[in-house]
Amino acid sequence: PVSRLLARGLLVRVDAETVELPRQVGLALRGDRPLGALALDPPDLVTVDRGVDTVDGTAAVAALRALRQIEQLVAFWGTAPPPALRSGGLGVRELRRVAREVDADETTAALLVELAVAADLVAESDGVAPEWVPTTAADVWAAGGPEQKWARVARAWLDLPRVPGIVGTRDDAGRPIAALADGPRRPTAPRDRRRVLAGLAELPPGTAVGATENVLRPRQAGQGPDPGVSGPAEALAGLLAWRAPRRGGRLRDEVVRWTLAEATVLGLVALDALSTPGRTLLAEPDRAAAALRAALPDPIGHVLLQADLTAVAPGPLEPGLERELGLVGEVESAGGATVYRFTEATIRRALDAGRTAAEVHELFATRSATPVPQGLTYLVDDVARKHGRLRGGAASSFLRSDDEVLIAEVLASAAAGTLELRRIAPTVAVSPLPLAELMDGLRDAGFTPAAEDQGGAVLDLTDRGRRIPPR
């Protein structure tokens, strides 16, 4: 057949082993519609009126949950920083640990990790074995209100030149793409992200995209339409694809789905509708924090203590109360209502931070709208009874003498304040200064001390000059 087609001019010889189909023949074989069925009119979007208040309230709850998860991520990595992969990025095992810690799936965990780095809350440390460690900016961020924290994270997401949704998929070589690696980098991601949100912004406030059936969505060049598409993300993807069929590359439609999912996690989109904070972020980024502040319910100053040693916060708490409850309790679940659990470890943590048992009792009594359970009172008293019976402190040197009067004389001298001496026993005082500085200071004050080692033998502290370790 090849020889006959060559003889009739329907194939063209390229070399001894290769033939090519001429373009004109290919177009003729495709019939009257060589590019497939073309939709001349844009697909109609089915819309559903959710109500502005409902959408904004749902978005506010989602935003608070996302902020709580990022705080948990920063606290987790502050105590157990994960190692950076040799090839860059975060390992799959470490991503799964993050997902368990913040109570989310791996896709959401990858998004939170990418946002923490993009907002400069986490960075890769220097050294032979780099790790992902929280930055000092995380402390400044945590001290702000929820609207300021959300605005910083949301703007970082909007301008993120990466596609977190691609994490976990495989590259052309079949290797899984890791979070924080080079694989998810896409310079056009901010443009595509804004384009998806702008498509939702065309709808009236509070209006969501509904499911659509039998949408003819243009595929990539050379392919026919994709019928039978349904779902809000697919319907919006069909409209955007009709407007710009060749924009977006192979992941054009997936980017729409990923963008809507990520925006829903952050509270920019809720119930498949663009929220007021999301609309403001897109049009006036500087006013995004104020828009979320208006969507959030007023902070409350009370909780509901329960007999199972938990407290329920029925809404966002005042910053001071939230800090105190975060110290004396552990967040068990977050969302529209946050549940704090009190245990022996959390009460001890509050006492370690300087709170007294009386202050903890006062916190529960004055900030609870329900009576304080007797079990919680007993728990605080039991922990406080055992707490602090052993005391530990930092000291670099000590001063001892069998003569209590001599120790008292040293502590009464003017040098005691400079040497930061503190008496811990009738015959013992300690100082945070190095032993050599303590000895020199006592000699300058007119005393004649002697240095000793752990066994009581006299030490020679004579300065022999600077030395370096041998090679």
Side-chain angles (χ1 to χ4, degrees):
V2 174
S3 299
R4 294 197 298 270
L5 292 173
L6 284 171
R8 298 176 185 273
L10 299 178
L11 288 180
V12 177
R13 187 186 302 276
V14 177
D15 55 35
E17 298 181 353
T18 308
V19 295
E20 184 178 65
L21 181 72
R23 183 167 182 261
Q24 295 87 340
V25 179
L27 291 175
L29 292 175
R30 294 182 189 179
D32 296 335
R33 296 180 179 271
L35 298 181
L38 298 179
L40 301 182
D41 299 320
D44 294 330
L45 290 181
V46 176
T47 59
V48 180
D49 186 7
R50 305 287 190 189
V52 177
D53 294 339
T54 302
V55 171
D56 290 351
T58 305
V61 172
L64 292 177
R65 176 176 175 80
L67 293 179
R68 168 66 66 181
Q69 290 174 322
I70 294 177
E71 291 172 352
Q72 292 174 328
L73 168 65
V74 171
F76 178 48
W77 280 5
T79 56
L85 295 178
R86 188 178 305 173
S87 57
L90 184 70
V92 176
R93 182 180 302 176
E94 299 298 337
L95 182 62
R96 290 172 180 169
R97 291 180 60 191
V98 171
R100 290 193 299 268
E101 185 69 22
V102 303
D103 190 20
D105 54 49
E106 294 184 25
T107 302
T108 302
L111 171 64
L112 299 175
V113 166
E114 293 279 355
L115 290 178
V117 175
D120 200 26
L121 307 180
V122 174
E124 187 176 357
S125 64
D126 297 328
V128 179
E131 297 175 319
W132 296 105
V133 185
T135 66
T136 54
D139 299 324
V140 179
W141 175 81
E147 61 273 14
Q148 285 85 10
K149 293 190 291 186
W150 176 85
R152 178 168 179 172
V153 172
R155 294 181 68 171
W157 173 79
L158 193 62
D159 298 328
L160 182 65
R162 302 170 62 83
V163 181
I166 206 173
V167 174
T169 62
R170 296 188 176 272
D171 58 15
D172 296 336
R175 296 184 297 266
I177 298 177
L180 305 179
D182 290 335
R185 184 177 299 278
R186 296 290 188 278
T188 60
R191 180 202 66 187
D192 296 336
R193 205 170 281 130
R194 283 179 165 83
R195 185 165 168 261
V196 174
L197 296 182
L200 288 178
E202 296 175 2
L203 301 176
T207 302
V209 179
T212 305
E213 296 182 357
N214 299 323
V215 175
L216 292 181
R217 175 177 51 177
R219 286 186 171 184
Q220 310 303 319
Q223 297 181 357
D226 182 16
V229 179
S230 62
E234 288 77 7
L236 182 60
L239 177 61
L240 297 178
W242 183 90
R243 294 177 177 177
R246 300 185 63 182
R247 177 177 293 179
R250 294 179 302 170
L251 300 177
R252 181 193 64 190
D253 301 331
E254 285 77 3
V255 166
V256 176
R257 177 169 54 84
W258 292 335
T259 299
L260 292 180
E262 294 167 6
T264 301
V265 171
L266 293 176
L268 282 78
V269 173
L271 304 176
D272 300 318
L274 191 63
S275 65
T276 301
R279 196 177 296 269
T280 306
L281 178 69
L282 194 62
E284 301 176 88
D286 294 337
R287 298 184 55 192
L292 182 67
R293 172 67 268 168
L296 289 173
D298 294 331
I300 58 177
H302 68 275
V303 295
L304 307 176
L305 291 177
Q306 303 186 106
D308 60 348
L309 301 182
T310 60
V312 178
L317 296 175
E318 297 174 354
L321 178 57
E322 185 178 12
R323 284 193 297 269
E324 290 299 315
L325 282 178
L327 181 64
V328 77
E330 199 74 43
V331 175
E332 191 170 74
S333 64
T338 305
V339 179
Y340 294 86
R341 177 163 294 280
F342 307 109
T343 64
E344 182 177 347
T346 61
I347 300 298
R348 184 166 55 247
R349 181 178 62 198
L351 299 179
D352 290 339
R355 305 299 187 272
T356 64
E359 291 173 340
V360 176
H361 285 309
E362 182 182 4
L363 172 68
F364 292 148
T366 59
R367 294 291 195 161
S368 176
T370 56
V372 181
Q374 191 176 42
L376 183 58
T377 302
Y378 288 162
L379 175 65
V380 175
D381 291 338
D382 290 343
V383 175
R385 189 178 303 111
K386 297 178 289 185
H387 184 267
R389 296 175 62 185
L390 289 176
R391 297 278 179 166
S396 296
S397 56
F398 66 89
L399 184 68
R400 73 175 184 87
S401 174
D402 294 335
D403 189 351
E404 297 183 16
V405 177
L406 180 57
I407 293 291
E409 182 181 352
V410 172
L411 294 175
S413 66
T418 304
L419 300 176
E420 301 180 43
L421 284 168
R422 181 169 65 93
R423 193 171 190 169
I424 61 174
T427 59
V428 181
V430 295
S431 170
L433 300 180
L435 181 58
E437 293 185 22
L438 177 62
M439 296 294 102
D440 291 342
L442 290 173
R443 293 189 183 102
D444 293 341
F447 298 98
T448 57
E452 68 177 15
D453 60 11
Q454 296 178 350
V458 176
L459 281 174
D460 183 7
L461 299 180
T462 304
D463 187 4
R464 293 180 177 82
R466 185 182 176 192
R467 302 290 188 274
I468 61 174
R471 294 189 177 182

